[in-house]
Amino acid sequence: MNFWKLNVALLAVTALTAGEAAAQNSRPNILMIISDDTGYGDLGPYGGGEGRGMPTPNIDKLADSGMTFFSFYAQPSCTPGRAAMMTGRIPNRSGMTTVAFQGEGGGLPAAEWTLASVLKLGGYDTYFTGKWHLGEADYALPNAQGFDVMKYCGLYHLNAYTYADPTWFPDMDPKLRAMFQRVTKGALSGNAGEPAVEEFKINGQYVDTPTINGAEGVVGIPFFDSYVEKAALGFLDDASAKPDKPFFISVNFMKVHQPNMPAPEFEHKSMSKSKYADSVVELDTRIGRIMDKLHETGMDKNTLVFYTTDNGAWQDVYPDAGYTPFRGTKGTVREGGNRVPAIAVWPGQIKPRSKSHDIVGGLDLMATFASAAGVALPDKDREGQPIIFDSYDMSPIMKGTGKSERTSWFYFTENELSPGAARVGNYKAVFNLRGDNGADTGGLAVDTNLGWKGAEKYVATVPQVFDLWQDPQERYDIFMNNYTERTWTMVTISAAIKDLMQTYVKYPPRKLQSASYSGPIEISRYQQFQWVRDQLAKDGVDIPMPTGN
């Protein structure tokens, strides 16, 4: 090689190295992929995949490329789970504690910050596609919550799109069916500051006719995720033409929430050939296509990819549901309702095939993404009132430079203000046994998996206590029994709950956005309400050490 060619080669290598360095030092693109009701134990990185009759090669590849989290927490159902991820705040702060249904209106308050509106402060292009489930009101839609564009936005869980279908519920009163047909919104698209446009209706049939005679058509549940994939791929193509502009895209697949109706090309493609397994294979394939596009455009080198799901697996509807090795299910404070799969990929920042057992969760995406983007979290909400975030930066964990500041996790169901369960370190105290229908469970028994159907069953200051290192399935209550005693764990757990409760004084929770009947309102509770408010303001919450007697 002559001197000139050698210099050219050296310059090329130098330029490439500089380009890679610039990519690593600049604000990363952020690609967030959320699935629905996906079982922790169904995915390859968590012992599932082929072992569960549903290979997940693309999700396996994600894990090989980055970090897999084994103590990552969501909330126990769809709306609160998505609200927590989107706002970085426990759901009772935003009022998003209950699953939103069509016709209720309302939704995520306009005053809330979202991942999108915070990243907009850092100059990010923002884009949303797929399941939203955070309300129907105009102010609650993605294009009013910081997203520049929303495309094929679904406002509900998949079941909701079957309510108006007479082939699903022929016994429904015609007047009620007419109401559902009137209020159920289909796939919505729109730009920020503009009215949303309904692209097509969604139903529970194997039909894919987005337009009929040039007008709005109908797309069935089996085909909806193909439109989400299409939107994501289109956005990535467009983003590749603007390499100097960082982006945040939130891709939200509707599956594998029931009813699991895999797209025709995925029917019987799983080893077990069940609807749920076929749908997991479909989910894995679509994630793979999005990652292929990211690599094809070269944007993968400077993109933080985060995959997780909105809540624990729903086992109630076996076999058309997810699997979790933990006790309980979606809708409960058990590990099975809250511990979920999560994988992060960030070339040059996260080492391949790394693993984390730190206590982290969907709440922490806010602080983590803001940190990556170089944006400080606001101390006022979007209406100028003081705001608190429940989010911790996971960057030190992901980069291998340190630990998260989070040491605890609080579990909530429905309208709880005090947590139904709390974890500090490896110990978990369960105060509210919602979900076991009040039935006693033996030492080796598992819950009856009744989810929301179970009545509340508080055990007050004498909770069940579990060591999640020794007993992740929550089988052995070690608060006080004939072989061990861990009442002392309540010192740190009670202190953590007290600190949480005191935050409600300075930062009052917002009005519930999807309030529903949750049992009788007792006269004594009504009379105690003002006393509780006064007590919180004066002394906080006094949680005495339980005696066990």
Side-chain angles (χ1 to χ4, degrees):
M1 179 181 291
N2 63 34
F3 180 78
W4 171 251
K5 288 183 177 179
L6 179 61
N7 271 314
V8 169
L10 287 173
L11 285 171
V13 171
T14 302
L16 179 62
T17 304
E20 289 177 342
Q24 300 302 335
N25 293 327
S26 64
R27 294 166 295 170
N29 304 311
I30 300 174
L31 166 58
M32 182 171 76
I33 302 175
I34 309 295
S35 59
D36 205 329
D37 288 13
T38 309
Y40 183 102
D42 292 324
L43 307 181
Y46 295 89
E50 288 189 18
R52 292 277 300 136
M54 51 191 93
T56 56
N58 294 294
I59 293 175
D60 296 353
K61 187 175 180 180
L62 274 183
D64 287 340
S65 303
M67 175 173 283
T68 304
F69 296 89
F70 290 89
S71 290
F72 191 92
Y73 288 93
Q75 306 296 317
S77 62
C78 302
T79 295
R82 291 169 187 275
M85 285 189 283
M86 193 56 65
T87 66
R89 285 156 48 84
I90 54 179
N92 60 27
R93 297 197 194 279
S94 61
M96 303 298 292
T97 64
T98 307
V99 172
F101 285 82
Q102 61 263 55
E104 288 185 323
L108 188 64
E112 288 290 327
W113 288 98
T114 66
L115 293 173
S117 55
V118 167
L119 291 173
K120 286 297 294 180
L121 300 176
Y124 276 64
D125 280 345
T126 55
Y127 188 93
F128 184 92
T129 183
K131 181 175 179 178
W132 179 241
H133 212 182
L134 295 178
E136 297 176 306
D138 290 343
Y139 64 77
L141 299 180
N143 65 338
Q145 291 282 353
F147 288 96
D148 297 321
V149 179
M150 67 175 183
K151 188 70 173 176
Y152 306 129
C153 175
L155 299 187
Y156 325 107
H157 52 295
L158 279 183
N159 302 76
Y161 297 102
T162 67
Y163 296 162
D165 192 332
T167 64
W168 279 79
F169 303 106
D171 59 329
M172 183 182 289
D173 184 293
K175 292 181 180 178
L176 180 58
R177 180 177 297 116
M179 184 277 289
F180 279 126
Q181 290 172 340
R182 183 178 70 256
V183 302
T184 304
K185 298 179 181 179
L188 300 181
S189 297
N191 298 331
E194 299 177 2
V197 175
E198 190 174 58
E199 298 259 10
F200 47 75
K201 292 291 186 181
I202 307 170
N203 69 7
Q205 303 298 320
Y206 273 85
V207 57
D208 186 16
T209 54
T211 58
I212 298 176
N213 297 325
E216 177 190 82
V218 181
V219 170
I221 287 171
F223 299 92
F224 185 80
D225 278 348
S226 67
Y227 288 85
V228 177
E229 176 194 322
K230 175 184 175 182
L233 297 180
F235 172 83
L236 292 176
D237 272 331
D238 293 341
S240 66
K242 302 181 289 184
D244 297 327
K245 184 72 169 177
F247 66 77
F248 167 57
I249 177 174
S250 179
V251 181
N252 300 262
F253 290 110
M254 300 289 279
K255 295 187 179 87
V256 287
H257 193 292
Q258 67 155 171
N260 277 294
M261 301 172 68
E265 65 268 32
F266 293 99
E267 288 187 281
H268 297 168
K269 294 303 183 197
S270 66
M271 296 158 64
S272 65
K273 305 190 186 311
S274 71
K275 289 183 177 180
Y276 177 85
D278 290 347
S279 295
V280 169
V281 171
E282 176 181 348
L283 169 68
D284 180 80
T285 302
R286 298 196 189 284
I287 290 175
R289 290 170 183 168
I290 291 173
M291 293 305 297
D292 287 344
K293 176 63 70 173
L294 197 64
H295 290 294
E296 174 191 315
T297 59
M299 295 187 296
D300 59 303
K301 298 179 180 63
N302 190 36
T303 298
L304 165 58
V305 179
F306 205 99
Y307 163 73
T308 188
T309 189
D310 56 354
N311 48 248
W314 197 359
Q315 298 173 301
D316 297 30
V317 285
Y318 178 87
D320 190 24
Y323 166 74
T324 167
F326 306 114
R327 183 175 182 174
T329 180
K330 170 183 177 179
T332 74
V333 295
R334 296 297 190 189
E335 292 296 285
N338 295 267
R339 201 186 297 199
V340 297
I343 301 170
V345 177
W346 193 359
Q349 302 289 344
I350 298 176
K351 291 182 179 179
R353 291 177 291 281
S354 54
K355 297 176 174 60
S356 172
H357 292 274
D358 290 66
I359 301 172
V360 289
L363 287 168
D364 299 326
L365 296 179
M366 175 64 83
T368 304
F369 291 174
S371 174
V375 177
L377 289 181
D379 58 4
K380 299 285 196 304
D381 68 17
R382 295 172 74 188
E383 293 179 349
Q385 298 302 310
I387 191 171
I388 186 174
F389 291 94
D390 303 286
S391 190
Y392 291 84
D393 184 8
M394 295 186 289
S395 298
I397 300 172
M398 297 194 301
K399 296 179 180 180
T401 60
K403 305 288 283 185
S404 168
E405 294 181 10
R406 179 182 292 286
T407 58
S408 62
W409 190 265
F410 301 110
Y411 308 68
F412 298 90
T413 59
E414 299 299 322
N415 63 348
E416 289 177 325
L417 194 61
S418 59
R423 175 181 179 177
V424 176
N426 54 301
Y427 289 106
K428 176 181 179 180
V430 180
F431 299 93
N432 178 9
L433 302 184
R434 185 186 185 95
D436 72 351
N437 204 29
D440 294 331
T441 54
L444 295 177
V446 296
D447 285 338
T448 53
N449 293 328
L450 290 175
W452 292 289
K453 291 181 285 187
E456 292 182 337
K457 182 184 175 185
Y458 282 93
V459 288
T461 57
V462 185
Q464 294 180 349
V465 172
F466 303 96
D467 181 346
L468 293 181
W469 285 351
Q470 304 294 333
D471 179 27
Q473 292 181 322
E474 301 174 82
R475 295 182 298 174
Y476 303 102
D477 177 7
I478 57 174
F479 181 82
M480 182 178 287
N481 55 39
N482 63 352
Y483 61 87
T484 188
E485 177 262 317
R486 289 292 189 277
T487 57
W488 51 264
T489 59
M490 293 308 299
V491 174
T492 52
I493 291 175
S494 295
I497 294 173
K498 181 176 181 179
D499 289 343
L500 168 70
M501 297 298 289
Q502 287 177 329
T503 67
Y504 297 135
V505 178
K506 185 176 180 180
Y507 307 99
R510 302 190 195 280
K511 177 183 176 182
L512 294 182
Q513 298 301 302
S514 298
S516 59
Y517 181 71
S518 57
I521 300 176
E522 299 164 350
I523 295 174
S524 58
R525 287 189 180 184
Y526 173 79
Q527 292 173 340
Q528 288 172 351
F529 180 68
Q530 186 60 47
W531 178 88
V532 170
R533 291 185 61 179
D534 293 342
Q535 182 70 15
L536 281 171
K538 181 180 178 182
D539 299 318
V541 178
D542 183 20
I543 304 178
M545 266 294 292
T547 64
N549 296 321

